[in-house]
Amino acid sequence: MSKSLKRVSAALEGETTEIRETGEAKTALQAAAELGVEVDQIAKSIIFQGQTTGQALLFITAGGNQVCENKAAALADEPLGRADAALVRAQTGFAIGGVSPLAHKNPIRSFFDPRLMDFPLIWAAAGTPHHVFSLTPARLLEKSAAQHADFTT
């Protein structure tokens, strides 16, 4: 088991959850098809970099939604740009493609897409490109310490 997967597993201890190994699903649509769920039940972890602070910001969004950079920047209270792989790894401890919405190595300001609340169960990356975990939206919102906010197009 990878260090990243172990960290996510430890963060989920005591939760009603399932961790599954998947094929390499590069998109939310592929992940949803493999899991047999709706695409919006996939919680994507989208990382931007604050252009003023240089800090990473996490937007946890439903699989079929896109982050609106203008809405996201307004929430962040600074202009946003793409986060490179080095910043993502330094801030979260995860590699791009397997960024979990929880169990980050360093605290990260996070925002949560309201669309995810429409489902009894959602799935998110478990620290690797090949693993996902399930959790109720309310528990993921709480465990990620995210702010419930509208930031999608």
Side-chain angles (χ1 to χ4, degrees), residues 34-114:
E34 186 159 336
L35 294 166
V37 300
E38 291 184 43
V39 70
D40 281 350
Q41 284 180 268
I42 304 300
K44 300 185 296 189
S45 293
I46 309 296
I47 307 277
F48 285 95
Q49 181 175 15
Q51 297 300 287
T52 304
T53 63
Q55 293 296 306
L57 295 110
L58 171 63
F59 293 84
I60 305 165
T61 187
N65 283 348
Q66 297 294 317
V67 175
C68 171
E69 286 192 47
N70 290 333
K71 288 180 181 179
L75 285 169
D77 201 28
E78 65 180 309
L80 300 176
R82 293 263 175 218
D84 66 19
L87 176 69
V88 171
R89 175 145 336 246
Q91 186 76 39
T92 68
F94 301 116
I96 291 174
V99 176
S100 175
L102 48 81
H104 301 127
K105 282 199 168 183
N106 298 293
I108 186 169
R109 219 168 133 207
S110 304
F111 302 91
F112 195 88
D113 182 353

Side-chain angles (χ1 to χ4, degrees), residues 10-17 60 101-103 112 116-117 119-122 124 133-146 148:
L12 292 169
E13 197 167 313
E15 296 290 336
T16 302
T17 186
I60 305 165
L102 48 81
F112 195 88
L116 292 166
M117 299 303 282
F119 301 97
L121 201 63
I122 54 178
F133 69 89
S134 63
L135 206 58
T136 67
R139 289 300 296 149
L140 183 57
L141 176 62
E142 183 178 330
K143 291 191 77 61
S144 66
H148 196 263

